[in-house]
Amino acid sequence: MSGTMVLVRHGQSEWNKLNLFTGWRDPDLTEQGIREAETGAQALRDYGIKFDIAFTSVLVRAERTCQIILDGIGQSDLETIHDQALNERNYGDLAGLNKDDARAKWGEDQVHIWRRSYDVPPPGDEGESLKDTGARVWPYYMTEILPRVLAGQKLLIAAHGNSLRSLVMVLDRLDTDAVTKLNLATGVPMVYKLNADSTVASKEVLGDMSGAH
């Protein structure tokens, strides 16, 4: 019997609140972000799941979200693997800039392309497109995450909007146009159960996605 994988986007960060491009920069959660993670924990507690292992990025907003959820479901000491393969996309030269200031500098259309296109990276040598982000997320998923799910384990993955979009693209079989329109709410668990051939048997969203961005 294949296992279960729960994806959760981290709660609001201090830079989300300030409307800044964040990427690999490392701001903490806001009070709202903490509440969002706690709400996600409550949803998982009500759902009744217990995890065998957790995965998160090496960025504090995802790490704290992961720990808040584990604390909330009574699994504070669960083994947790931290890996930068699950980090948010790198926003390159945009990181730390206010999104409105970026639009004033480069124009609404160009900033929209950087934010929402599939394969156009933001400026800067380290800038990643969603395609680039997927290029590090997918191999990690195939080698470190999927085998555990297929072995019947239950996994929590607390990560970021774009690293999770890369995963959902594969799981939900979205094309490049559909994934650029995909929005994920903060702190809302998505429960995937997989078939033995790694396809999705069922997907359940434990909360309200209407506030997704």
Side-chain angles (χ1 to χ4, degrees):
M1 177 63 187
S2 295
T4 302
M5 179 171 52
V6 176
L7 311 183
V8 184
R9 183 183 176 189
H10 67 80
Q12 182 195 62
S13 76
E14 292 164 349
W15 281 23
N16 292 146
K17 185 177 180 179
L18 295 172
N19 199 34
L20 306 179
F21 286 102
T22 309
W24 283 40
R25 303 290 183 87
D26 208 18
D28 205 342
L29 296 178
T30 61
E31 288 300 316
Q32 178 181 326
I34 292 169
R35 290 194 300 272
E36 289 169 345
E38 291 171 342
T39 299
Q42 177 67 55
L44 288 169
R45 192 161 62 245
D46 292 345
Y47 187 74
I49 193 169
K50 290 294 183 181
F51 295 105
D52 296 297
I53 194 168
F55 288 83
T56 189
S57 73
V58 299
L59 299 172
V60 68
R61 58 195 187 273
E63 293 175 323
R64 283 200 71 196
T65 297
C66 186
Q67 192 59 54
I68 289 167
I69 289 173
L70 293 177
D71 292 345
I73 63 172
Q75 291 193 277
S76 298
D77 297 328
L78 186 71
E79 179 185 358
T80 301
I81 297 175
H82 305 249
D83 200 289
Q84 71 177 25
L86 295 175
N87 277 16
E88 177 59 290
R89 67 183 281 203
N90 192 320
Y91 271 106
D93 291 349
L94 296 181
L97 295 181
N98 183 282
K99 293 172 184 176
D100 292 332
D101 292 343
R103 293 184 188 100
K105 181 175 182 178
W106 286 290
E108 176 82 34
D109 290 346
Q110 182 61 65
V111 171
H112 182 76
I113 289 170
W114 287 331
R115 291 189 68 194
R116 283 302 186 180
S117 69
Y118 179 67
D119 56 5
V120 179
D125 293 341
E126 296 180 338
E128 291 180 311
S129 65
L130 181 57
K131 182 180 179 181
D132 297 328
T133 307
R136 59 175 161 81
V137 172
W138 297 326
Y140 188 76
Y141 169 71
M142 294 295 292
T143 58
E144 303 299 326
I145 295 173
L146 182 60
R148 295 173 186 269
V149 180
L150 296 182
Q153 292 189 355
K154 295 180 175 64
L155 279 62
L156 171 66
I157 303 170
H160 305 264
N162 286 293
S163 54
L164 292 178
R165 285 165 74 205
S166 298
L167 275 181
V168 172
M169 181 180 185
V170 171
L171 293 166
D172 291 0
R173 300 188 174 188
L174 303 179
D175 61 23
T176 56
D177 183 58
V179 76
T180 60
K181 296 180 174 67
L182 175 66
N183 295 306
L184 303 177
T186 47
V188 176
M190 296 176 287
V191 182
Y192 284 90
K193 295 184 178 180
L194 300 189
N195 296 309
D197 64 358
S198 79
T199 58
V200 174
S202 66
K203 176 183 180 180
E204 190 172 353
V205 177
L206 307 182
D208 183 6
M209 277 290 187
S210 65
H213 59 280

